[in-house]
Amino acid sequence: MYKILAKETLNSAVELMEVEAPYTARACEPGQFVIIRVDEDGERVPLTIADYDREKNSVTIVYQVLGYSTTKLSQLNVGDYIHDFVGPLGQPAPLHKMERVVGVAGGVGAAPLYPQLRKLAEMGTKVDVIIGGRSAEFVLFADKFKKFCDNVFITTDDGSLGIKGFGTTVLQEQIDKGVKYDECIAIGPLIMMKNVVKVTKPYDLKTMVSLNPIMIDGTGMCGGCRVVVGGETKFACVDGPDFDGFEVDFDSAMVRQGLFKEEEHQCKIGRG
Amino acid sequence: MPNMSLEKVKMPEQAPDVRNKNFEEVALGYTKEQAIEEATRCLNCKNPLCMQGCPVNVPIPGFIEAVVAEDFEKAYEIITSENALPAICGRVCPQEKQCESKCVRGIKGEPVSIGRLERFVADYHMAHAEAVTPDIKKNGKKVAVIGSGPSGITCAGELAKRGYEVTVFEALHKAGGVLSYGIPEFRLPKDLVAKEIANVERLGVDIETNVVVGRSITIDELINEEKFDAVFIGSGAGLPRFLNIPGENLLGVYSANEFLTRVNLMKGYKFPEVPTPVKVGKKVAVVGAGNVAMDAARTAKRLGAEEVYIVYRRGEDEVPARAEEVHHAKEEGIIFKLLNNPCEIHGEDGWVKSIEVVKQELGEPDASGRRRPQPVEGSNYEIEVDTVVIAIGQSPNPLIRQTTPGLDTKEWGGIIVDENTMKTSKDGVYAGGDTVTGAATVILAMGAGKTAAKAIDEMLTSK
Ligand SMILES: Cc1cc2nc3c(=O)[nH]c(=O)nc-3n(C[C@H](O)[C@H](O)[C@H](O)COP(=O)(O)OP(=O)(O)OC[C@H]3O[C@@H](n4cnc5c(N)ncnc54)[C@H](O)[C@@H]3O)c2cc1C
Ligand code: SF4
Ligand code: FES
């Protein structure tokens, strides 16, 4: 059982929790994730690690209250316990010192992007970030990024905050202005990452993306998380979750993500 | 005077067309009377050949004699002197290839049903005896066990009995390994597995779930920082193999591990009562013919599939599953498409539509001694299905070998050990079960765990 130390509502759909999880906290690195089960009989839900505190033995997760399990999670409060919490899973992001890097976040993607960019900044890399959201309230972590980013660009679909439009537009403008980036890290919905790659590929700007397909065990045991990268089948939970965006077959990933849509629906109905 | 009936006493079972719609246990077990009757078929041989066939040397005639004498607790003690998990082994061991294949009664007629008797004795004990917490004197030494499958659990139990402080680290949220996530409820009830594991915990073994060794903590850290005096790796062979044919990433294609995990570990058969769904269409093809394939096929049938095929590239004689599983599968209406090799999975809108196979004929024996299947030119045809389950084997997960310097492995990933002690190339580290042999059996994994426990004890007491 894993104790909830803090809980915060980030916007109408997204919450943050700090959870006591010694094994994960001692070993996790940016890019890795955890799997939780809210209660006995619960689903195994993969969640990215947004932050960690080795002294406090704690790990911060950020989740969108979307399906059955995240709704249940959201009903828990500080002092309650999460039934299972296993991690860190996946490969740490391959980060090294560079001249300048740009991060592109879509929605909750800002959460896993945050520790990656912070680590790069700590290594002495100059970092820019473009954070996108549906509207002002869905733009996450802007203040946190400001602490170490040279430039924080904000975009919203409806123009309620920052620039009206998509992150890709800003990215294209930066490139057009002649800003030299050594690497781009994009984390968000599949369609957004696919579009980022469309922008960066013509310039051969190396782009890392983070995939979160359906997972069960998260240890390489089921193969449910398989994705096609560079023409080969990979298991996102052990070979990833970060992959070279130029190599990822986004279309097949989008098809596979649709797998249990119907059941998710039925399940919610079943629960009233 | 022994009972000279040529046939085993039949074990009551649920009728095939009833049980293929539920997840209750298929075989119901002997009654006391049936067990005694079957036990009297044993000749109590001076030189019991059956024992030579048993990988852990259970004193078979001894326990059967106790059954005849109606001293079932004594029978239980005799079995558990060598085998810590009899209720499980009595259900899942391939007896027809082991003890029963050697039994002299099998020369003319059927052998003694050693497996059913073992099961009876274990079930009788569970139903009647009180769980006792033994008082064991601790010796102050610590051993870490990685994986809570049969090899890890056996090794942990044996060491705890000898006074070691044992911690088992398990990656999943539940202990048991394949016994919990792989073998279905209708063949091995999960509350029975839980009871056997509780027995081991009662010996003082501490099981820590949700710890992925190699990620949460490494073997070197266990030894250097957590001060474990020895480590046993029983991490199994959990990495599913795929066919590498076109169409394998279509929706509706599962590895057997995914399919069975959704159903067994996550209880997907109770969906939507539990939140993990499992999708099974009207027509299902299971590729492969081992125990795993039989389990997947029979599970699909129970989830409501109308037609379930076993698609296998070799012939009947080469089918690797336990005879009883094949027999049960056929009774339940599973259709066997032998000598058919899949070459492509076709889809529509991202979903599986059919599986294309090539007919095979058997040629000369290959390296495994089985006759090599060869394609019959131009014999391709499509079987319409909406779900495909790939059950062609598993190999060891690479995580441990990638994160443990100094641990030698074979090219295919199996950990290399000295077979007499299960010692690996790394000091203080032992390994056994599927992670050493590749996918094998419960009893071999248990045997390896036991051998390793003995060797670890010898190593640590001589220090
Ligand atoms: C569907 C199916 C049906 C089968 N039917 C039969 C049968 O009828 N009869 C029979 O004899 N055999 C059968 N087998 C084979 C048998 O189950 C295995 O040979 C046996 O379970 C192997 O035991 P093990 O202890 O080596 O590993 P496993 O049972 O595989 O257990 C390994 C455990 O280690 C854990 N683990 C792995 N990596 C790590 C890590 N890095 N850190 C922490 N924990 C880790 C895993 O999660 C798992 O719980 C079947 C197998 C399957 C899949
Ligand atoms: S070989 Fe058969 S008859 Fe002889 S002791 Fe063993 S079980 Fe009994
Ligand atoms: S989630 Fe099961 S193999 Fe990746």
Side-chain angles (χ1 to χ4, degrees):
Chain A
M1 300 283 265
Y2 303 79
K3 192 172 182 178
I4 300 169
L5 303 176
K7 185 183 176 188
E8 210 180 300
T9 303
L10 300 181
N11 62 42
S12 59
V14 180
E15 294 174 0
L16 171 154
M17 259 182 201
E18 188 183 355
V19 183
E20 188 173 63
Y23 279 107
T24 308
R26 67 184 290 285
C28 68
E29 292 293 337
Q32 292 185 298
F33 64 98
V34 297
I35 286 191
I36 66 152
R37 281 196 334 143
V38 180
D39 50 25
E40 181 73 64
D41 280 355
E43 267 178 299
R44 294 176 64 92
V45 184
L47 296 172
T48 38
I49 297 172
D51 209 350
Y52 49 90
D53 186 332
R54 306 229 200 269
E55 252 100 77
K56 273 171 80 186
N57 276 334
S58 73
V59 176
T60 302
I61 49 174
V62 168
Y63 53 92
Q64 202 160 0
V65 185
L66 199 67
Y68 171 72
S69 293
T70 40
T71 305
K72 279 221 132 174
L73 179 62
S74 151
Q75 286 159 2
L76 298 181
N77 289 305
V78 174
D80 290 343
Y81 290 83
I82 297 177
H83 204 280
D84 297 288
F85 193 105
V86 57
L89 301 170
Q91 307 278 351
L95 303 175
H96 56 99
K97 182 183 161 7
M98 286 170 276
E99 200 51 45
R100 182 177 285 278
V101 163
V102 60
V104 186
V108 262
L113 184 62
Y114 170 70
Q116 293 204 26
L117 294 190
R118 187 181 58 187
K119 180 149 185 203
L120 282 169
E122 280 166 10
M123 289 172 163
T125 305
K126 294 199 187 77
V127 182
D128 288 351
V129 70
I130 306 166
I131 327 170
R134 251 185 295 152
S135 63
E137 70 155 327
F138 294 100
V139 174
L140 294 181
F141 282 24
D143 291 340
K144 290 185 170 226
F145 281 113
K146 276 183 190 144
K147 292 202 179 118
F148 57 82
C149 289
D150 289 356
N151 295 294
V152 176
F153 301 98
I154 291 170
T155 67
T156 47
D157 298 2
D158 63 357
S160 53
L161 188 72
I163 305 149
K164 180 172 170 162
F166 295 121
T168 40
T169 322
V170 177
L171 180 61
Q172 184 70 55
E173 281 168 13
Q174 288 293 100
I175 295 171
D176 291 344
K177 269 199 241 162
V179 184
K180 260 305 292 124
Y181 292 117
D182 301 305
E183 194 175 310
C184 171
I185 304 174
I187 309 184
L190 283 169
I191 184 71
M192 175 220 121
M193 296 189 284
K194 182 181 171 180
N195 287 330
V196 168
V197 167
K198 270 195 199 147
V199 172
T200 56
K201 203 162 183 184
Y203 306 95
D204 206 23
L205 168 56
K206 183 176 180 189
T207 303
M208 294 302 288
V209 299
S210 179
L211 301 181
N212 62 335
I214 287 165
M215 292 191 186
I216 303 186
D217 56 298
T219 66
M221 190 259 278
C222 74
C225 64
R226 57 199 192 278
V227 288
V228 180
V229 181
E232 270 181 58
T233 295
K234 301 268 180 193
F235 290 1
C237 72
V238 285
D239 301 320
D242 295 336
F243 292 101
D244 181 342
F246 294 177
E247 303 279 327
V248 170
D249 180 345
F250 286 103
D251 294 335
S252 78
M254 283 191 254
V255 170
R256 284 193 65 79
Q257 206 158 53
L259 183 52
F260 286 100
K261 281 273 157 65
E262 257 171 70
E263 271 75 9
E264 174 94 345
H265 190 63
Q266 183 188 343
C267 180
K268 269 183 287 185
I269 294 172
R271 298 280 174 150
Chain B
M1 178 63 200
N3 164 358
M4 291 315 287
S5 161
L6 293 183
E7 283 173 20
K8 295 176 176 178
V9 174
K10 294 238 174 335
M11 176 161 58
E13 288 177 348
Q14 285 194 68
D17 61 335
V18 173
R19 69 181 193 237
N20 69 11
K21 294 172 197 69
N22 69 45
F23 277 85
E24 315 273 302
E25 194 171 11
V26 167
L28 303 173
Y30 278 157
T31 61
K32 199 163 114 180
E33 292 70 30
Q34 288 167 326
I36 294 167
E37 186 188 341
E38 178 63 23
T40 56
R41 292 184 62 227
C42 174
L43 305 176
N44 205 348
C45 305
K46 276 227 174 57
N47 175 21
L49 296 176
C50 52
M51 280 179 68
Q52 295 173 16
C54 175
V56 297
N57 291 312
V58 168
I60 294 167
F63 99 76
I64 296 182
E65 199 182 5
V67 173
V68 177
E70 291 191 46
D71 190 348
F72 305 128
E73 278 311 313
K74 182 166 168 210
Y76 183 78
E77 264 166 45
I78 295 173
I79 297 176
T80 48
S81 68
E82 298 295 339
N83 180 342
L85 309 173
I88 293 169
C89 290
R91 287 171 167 81
V92 304
C93 271
Q95 289 96 3
E96 77 274 10
K97 290 183 189 146
Q98 300 176 1
C99 51
E100 294 184 19
S101 77
K102 302 268 158 92
C103 170
V104 293
R105 292 294 311 261
I107 297 169
K108 191 163 172 269
E110 290 185 327
V112 174
S113 188
I114 302 167
R116 291 173 190 173
L117 289 173
E118 180 180 27
R119 170 186 166 146
F120 168 78
V121 170
D123 288 359
Y124 186 92
H125 172 82
M126 259 191 206
H128 294 89
E130 291 218 354
V132 279
T133 306
D135 191 18
I136 301 165
K137 202 161 151 272
K138 295 268 181 230
N139 67 12
K141 293 189 178 127
K142 280 172 46 165
V143 181
V145 169
I146 303 167
S148 63
S151 68
I153 283 293
T154 307
C155 183
E158 292 291 323
L159 286 167
K161 278 188 214 158
R162 292 174 166 91
Y164 291 87
E165 207 174 291
V166 187
T167 309
V168 178
F169 296 98
E170 168 56 51
L172 293 173
H173 59 260
K174 197 169 189 176
V178 167
L179 308 178
S180 289
Y181 78 73
I183 305 180
E185 180 76 20
F186 58 82
R187 205 147 72 74
L188 184 64
K190 299 301 151 232
D191 58 353
L192 188 148
V193 176
K195 273 190 194 149
E196 293 280 36
I197 289 171
N199 280 338
V200 176
E201 285 182 297
R202 223 169 274 120
L203 297 171
V205 172
D206 179 27
I207 302 180
E208 282 211 43
T209 51
N210 297 327
V211 180
V212 183
V213 175
R215 287 263 179 266
S216 312
I217 193 161
T218 63
I219 289 183
D220 281 336
E221 288 166 342
L222 286 173
I223 296 172
N224 299 328
E225 292 171 25
E226 304 294 322
K227 304 291 175 217
F228 282 99
D229 298 292
V231 175
F232 174 77
I233 308 172
S235 52
L239 191 77
R241 247 175 253 147
F242 283 90
L243 291 158
N244 292 319
I245 59 172
E248 220 164 7
N249 290 325
L250 285 164
L251 294 173
V253 182
Y254 297 98
S255 74
N257 274 358
E258 177 178 359
F259 187 66
L260 291 171
T261 299
R262 279 180 182 277
V263 178
N264 299 323
L265 186 70
M266 308 310 295
K267 308 189 187 133
Y269 62 94
K270 293 187 189 159
F271 181 86
E273 237 173 87
V274 299
T276 304
V278 55
K279 244 192 175 136
V280 55
K282 286 206 168 63
K283 295 187 177 183
V284 180
V286 177
V287 181
N291 285 325
V292 184
M294 297 306 143
D295 284 344
R298 298 171 67 197
T299 297
K301 191 87 191 177
R302 282 165 173 75
L303 290 170
E306 286 159 17
E307 274 172 34
V308 182
Y309 307 102
I310 287 281
V311 178
Y312 183 52
R313 66 194 181 107
R314 298 179 191 258
E316 180 91 47
D317 291 344
E318 287 80 28
V319 167
R322 292 178 70 209
E324 184 179 334
E325 306 319 322
V326 177
H327 170 72
H328 277 153
K330 286 184 176 164
E331 276 186 347
E332 286 167 18
I334 309 297
I335 303 158
F336 281 64
K337 298 231 173 226
L338 303 177
L339 293 168
N340 277 293
N341 194 23
C343 58
E344 180 164 356
I345 302 168
H346 299 280
E348 204 172 65
D349 303 327
W351 283 93
V352 172
K353 184 170 107 337
S354 69
I355 182 165
E356 182 175 335
V357 299
V358 194
K359 290 192 181 164
Q360 308 283 304
E361 55 191 11
L362 290 175
E364 294 300 306
D366 63 12
S368 71
R370 299 180 296 179
R371 291 176 66 193
R372 186 194 301 278
Q374 280 157 347
V376 179
E377 201 106 359
S379 66
N380 294 36
Y381 72 107
E382 285 180 39
I383 309 171
E384 262 184 53
V385 289
D386 30 29
T387 303
V388 175
V389 180
I390 314 284
I392 55 164
Q394 291 106 242
S395 44
N397 190 307
L399 186 57
I400 300 250
R401 62 174 189 270
Q402 284 165 356
T403 54
T404 312
L407 186 71
D408 291 348
T409 54
K410 304 222 169 96
E411 212 165 295
W412 53 269
I415 298 175
I416 298 172
V417 297
D418 168 353
E419 277 178 32
N420 296 316
T421 59
M422 300 289 146
K423 190 179 170 333
T424 68
S425 58
K426 194 174 169 79
D427 249 5
V429 179
Y430 296 70
D434 284 3
T435 193
V436 166
T437 55
T441 59
V442 171
I443 192 70
L444 287 174
M446 288 178 54
K450 207 165 129 184
T451 306
K454 189 161 162 270
I456 289 172
D457 182 37
E458 279 165 12
M459 186 258 308
L460 291 178
T461 36
S462 71
K463 252 192 182 171

